[in-house]
Amino acid sequence: MNYLWHILVMISIYAILAASLNLVTGYSGLLSLCHAAFYGIGAYVTTLLMMRAGFGFLPAMALGAALTALISLAIAIPSLRLRGDYFVLATLGFQVIIFGVLYNWVSLTQGPYGIPGIPIPVILGIPVDTVFRYALLSGALAVACLVMIRAVARSPFGRLLRAVRDDEIAAAALGKNVPRIKITVFALGAAFAAVPGALFAGYMRFIDPTSFTLAEAIFILSIVVIGGAGSLAGPVLGAAFMVLLPEALRFLQMPDAVAANMRQIIYGLLLVVLMRFRPQGFLGKYGFE
Amino acid sequence: MNVMNERPALNSPIQPEDFPERSPLLRVENVHAGYGKKEVLQGVTLSLAPGEIVAVIGANGAGKSTLLKVVAGLIKPAAGRVIFRGEDITNLPTYRRARGGIAYLIQGGAVFPSLSVGDHLELGRAAARRGGRVSCGVLPFPALEDRASSAAGLFSGGQRQALASATILSTEPALLLADEPSAGLAPAAAAELLATLAAASRERGLPVLWVEQRVADVLPLADRAVLLRSGLVAAETSSPGDWLDGETLAHLTFGRGA
């Protein structure tokens, strides 16, 4: 049974990550390769606030979200004036820098050794000390984040985001301050990405930089694309698919010697086939152009 | 076609005689502009009076669209000034100009494919509010009837262009920059779109700087016409109808005898 609750925790974490990136990439059309950096900043800030400043889990998470949004401005303000491809490269650079900082700022992050012994989150006096309880906590936070993200997407601001994605010049011609809209949504996406960071840290009770690499950023982006960019339920479905698929492949009867590699190959192949026959993802209305 | 007759006099049309000292609404002064090292406009000067519809014509590459982009703020001129309502706006970004009432209708009419007609008009109304204006929200375009909730991405070319025009009009602009709103349409649809747009502008007293390849359709709708050739104003007329004769036009456009 714990196995199922574990999967629910992982799906919750990736659903929030994908839904927050979907605000940036799906609704606003900003392809970003540094979402794992914000995920990692959220995890480290929450951890350090809990361990060094004695904060509770939820206040540490909230502060972590605010700080992540602030740090995201450092990339957003200079690079969002760049066009398309150049912006993607700038986010890639930022992702590499953040990994480098987490890896090398040993006095703060303990670098490659990681931070062990992260305290168990305590919510309203109840320690979240079983996998079942953790599944409840992460499920509840996922629902809260998804409801908030849905409210943003359906608000007049959400309409602006889609307008900017569809045609920046036409949006500017309607009096919209396009760079400011992009910077705002980028910071908002970063703040939401800090929440699963906190969840991950409290769940694993150990973090190190290898959880927040470029490969992880690409994984989050694939969830968005597979689930359907710009749709509300897409990131949840995409997260469930990407978390469950490798699990499902475990049950295939394969000789032990090739099993691990075969799983990787089938996994990759399914993604290629999906993109060939359903490029807009499971639930998306519009593909990437 | 039936263009709304019973519109309330919220903002009565501005007439040239309201400005006794004949101060122009828009003045482009000796503008040089281009793309990178290529200078397309080589010192263009022109004015637009309140309520006036001015057709800008010329051959491909003469600088018509570039001129509109300079006024809209999409291209920064290398030299020269743009003055709107007596204020130098040369360094203002596009969105600030739009809030001030300069509406730019992008070539071929740009719409937001994932937004509905209602969303478009909501964006337009928000722009009007932001600029302290009231949008009447009338849709004078027959192509848009009964399409209020469809996504614009599913529209035909004619519907898209009508929607782009309707959205721009819903911002209740003080000046319309129209860059070939009929580009790519079949002749009958193009003529209808132009006539509707001109009628809606007249009815609002909205001045228009109108770039158009369909010279025969636009000249009869304009008060004045300006001909650009090689980045310069080569000719101007207050009776644009005179240019309708093909030989005159070929002579003006290409600078050779007919």
Side-chain angles (χ1 to χ4, degrees), chain A residues 57-58 119-130 132-134 136-137:
Chain A
F57 177 77
L58 289 179
I120 292 169
V122 178
I123 310 292
L124 301 170
I126 303 165
V128 189
D129 54 1
T130 65
F132 171 68
R133 285 183 180 179
Y134 216 91
L136 285 185
L137 170 66

Side-chain angles (χ1 to χ4, degrees), chain B residues 241-258:
Chain B
D242 295 354
W243 285 3
L244 275 172
D245 127 58
E247 286 186 10
T248 314
L249 204 60
H251 176 72
L252 287 166
T253 311
F254 301 108
R256 49 173 190 255

